[in-house]
Amino acid sequence: MFDHLEIKVLPRGPVFPAQVRFWVNGEDLVEEVVGGSGPNAGRGPYASDALPAGPSPLRATGEARRLELGQPACTGDCCGYLTVIVQRFGEIVQWSDWEVPWESPPAPAPYPPPEFHFDASQCDAEVARAEAAGWWQVHP
């Protein structure tokens, strides 16, 4: 049984531009791993970076690459990023080898998410859907 990916773009807020959030099996990964709420909430990557006008870096290929999926409110430069290795194996997209942010002062790091396996066609369709939306690229 495959995991299910949903990509959501949150609207621009008072501090940050539109950001991308990754829901796997109905759970928001950034909220689950990075945590926080309100002004202390972690955030996903900016939509303009994760879903540019050209092909998105979210598209899985046969070449393994590390993607940044989130960071704590204090910024990733301070406490690290939520990252994952993404790679396509035929009709399977695998997310593995997680790195999770830590807190300052040092505290136990949160548990990394498990390895996820997506049906490549579902994953491709979801990335294409998010790329096509593009509403966050419109500036008032």
Side-chain angles (χ1 to χ4, degrees):
M1 177 145 197
F2 288 113
D3 294 292
H4 181 78
L5 175 65
E6 186 176 357
I7 299 171
K8 297 182 180 184
V9 178
L10 302 182
R12 178 182 182 86
V15 178
F16 298 113
Q19 61 176 290
V20 176
R21 296 298 274 264
F22 304 91
W23 289 66
V24 177
N25 303 326
E27 300 290 329
D28 181 342
L29 283 177
V30 174
E31 185 175 308
E32 291 292 317
V33 179
V34 179
S37 62
N40 295 322
R43 67 170 183 81
Y46 296 137
S48 59
D49 295 334
L51 299 165
S56 168
L58 301 177
R59 290 188 174 268
T61 67
E63 182 180 330
R65 68 180 179 282
R66 184 163 295 280
L67 292 179
E68 178 189 317
L69 302 183
Q71 64 179 290
C74 64
T75 78
D77 292 335
C78 173
C79 296
Y81 296 90
L82 172 62
T83 67
V84 67
I85 297 290
V86 175
Q87 187 171 10
R88 179 187 213 101
F89 296 97
E91 292 305 309
I92 298 172
V93 172
Q94 176 180 290
W95 286 16
S96 62
D97 299 310
W98 293 90
E99 290 183 0
V100 296
W102 60 91
E103 293 183 22
S104 182
Y111 290 102
E115 193 169 280
F116 293 120
H117 298 93
F118 305 102
D119 175 272
S121 60
Q122 186 271 323
C123 195
D124 290 345
E126 182 61 10
V127 172
R129 183 199 60 77
E131 286 174 328
W135 59 263
W136 61 88
Q137 295 175 347
V138 177
H139 300 286

